[in-house]
Amino acid sequence: MSGRGTRRGRDVAVLLDDFGHRLPPLPPADAAPRERGPFTQLVPGRGMRGRGRGRTAALAPLSVWRMTSEQTPVVWPLIATSGLPPTGAQMGLDLLSGGAFYCDPVGWVTDDDIPVTNPNVVVFGKPGRGKSATVKAFALRMLAYGYRTLVLGDTKDEYEPLCRALGVEPFVIGHGLPARVNPLAFGPLGHGWERLDTAEIRRREALVFARWLVLLRGLVASQAVPFGPVEETAVGEALRLLTGYRSGATRLTEPTIPQLWHTLDEPPPELVSGCRYADRRHFLDATRTLRDALGSLVKGSLAGLFDDHTSIHVDWRAPIQSLSLSRLEPLGDHAVGIALTCLNSWGQAMREIADPGDLRIVVRDETWRQMRLGAEAMKSLDANLRLSRRDADVQILLAHKPSDMLTAGDATSQAVAIARDLLHLCDVKVLHGQDQAVGDELGSMLGLTPTAQRLVTGWAVAGKGRALWLVGDRAFKVQTVLTGPELRLTYTNEALAAGGPT
Ligand SMILES: Nc1ncnc2c1ncn2[C@@H]1O[C@H](COP(=O)(O)OP(=O)(O)O)[C@@H](O)[C@H]1O
Ligand SMILES: [Mg+2]
């Protein structure tokens, strides 16, 4: 054996020469100096020697795999990130990319690369799948970005722990309690009316009256009474009389629904002539169903709750505000639906003018109770979203399924069209677990792929907080992750745990 450093055997050129082949001669070496490599100092595999320089005694085990480029994509699918920027609330895991999932509806609207044109969110899911918990966690995590939350109707008082944790006492609405909310409130639009020029007065008048009409149409129609042009004229004219707008008052008076009903029931001559009726009798005959519907609301669902001027003082700078409605629960879905309709309209009034930096999340939980009142109530919800002046508000609707409104016995194509419209007003959709039948319904309404639909009816049902998030036309498989304190704040199974009814 030759010693170390000597070459053994013959080199290739000599070997080939033996077989009669000549290798072409090597061109003379390039005289130009070699470019210096970027790494002038090489670090050995175990790290640099010396104290405190991170040298390791043992090398980390390295597993080596060999495969063709055809096989690599199978072993390492190399899934790209979600494509959503990491801004806003970190909600949990994006299970398709393995990364974190962030929710920032307003940020998505302003980003041209994300196919989202409004910041509204609709959350669907079977009860108990974590809809409310996801929304509460979102509200809590968006606080850091300056967002405040307004819960328009907390039908189970389940936002109360969250409010108290943030140092806010929620308003409680119920019979025998002092809190009153006037759904016909002017809101900030009514401020400083006497200083406004005519054009601005006209504009504001149009906004306020449009909102009132939407509300009254929803309320009257919930009593299964039609609200057509006759009713609209009568209500519009009565409201103009009541506010003093007709008589050209510079300071408008805020009406209430009982006052409206009284004016219609005991019509002053101006109202009769303003609506172009020959006489009082004529007016009363034409508006009988309207008056009866309003009368039964005033004496029934609205009594003691929405029948007077607003008596609560809302601090809009508090991190969260909530109106608890659980006292209405024993009165049934209809009463709760009416209350939600009134609160939605009032909440919209409160948000019509706001400071530019006043970012808000408006939560409408258990929206399905309002949907159940029928197509008109659904339309009023739709109008609330549509009329919402402020694109900086993130409006969140929570419901079980889109067809809730259809169970009111109104499975017409019009009702379906309204449900679809409402969905279009919410570019972000969060689909928690659903039964097969509802999955099919969602699938056809939203145009889900079979895979996406299976996620909703299979994977999402199997765990709380699991949902398919549709951001514009992109889909994400997301598991909401709650921290320990959040789990306690969102706990809604007291009744179950106590063995009582749910
Ligand atoms: N991501 C989650 N991880 C763990 N528990 C959750 C999660 N989401 C919800 N929960 C728990 O499940 C229960 C029901 O959730 P909830 O949000 O009230 O359901 P829903 O509003 O869909 O009826 C709550 O006690 C809540 O704490
Ligand atoms: Mg809930």
Side-chain angles (χ1 to χ4, degrees), residues 126-133 464-465 479-480 482 487 490-493:
K126 272 174 73 163
R129 289 298 80 197
K131 299 183 294 295
S132 308
K464 288 176 178 170
Q479 164 78 61
T480 303
L482 299 179
L487 267 176
T490 60
Y491 186 70
T492 53
N493 291 340

Side-chain angles (χ1 to χ4, degrees), residues 274-296:
C275 299
R276 299 209 192 86
Y277 286 99
D279 54 25
R280 192 162 180 267
R281 186 75 262 146
H282 193 187
F283 177 90
L284 289 176
D285 286 344
T287 58
R288 178 170 305 280
T289 50
L290 168 69
R291 286 179 297 115
D292 286 352
L294 274 180
S296 69

Side-chain angles (χ1 to χ4, degrees), residues 123-179:
V123 187
F124 287 119
K126 272 174 73 163
R129 289 298 80 197
K131 299 183 294 295
S132 308
T134 298
V135 170
K136 286 171 204 164
F138 173 68
L140 203 54
R141 295 169 191 183
M142 285 306 259
L143 266 179
Y145 300 94
Y147 281 82
R148 299 184 178 106
T149 301
L150 171 64
V151 184
L152 282 180
D154 176 5
T155 55
K156 296 187 197 152
D157 293 1
E158 54 173 310
Y159 287 78
E160 289 194 345
L162 183 63
C163 293
R164 299 215 172 94
L166 294 172
V168 177
E169 191 52 38
F171 297 105
V172 183
I173 296 185
H175 293 281
L177 296 172

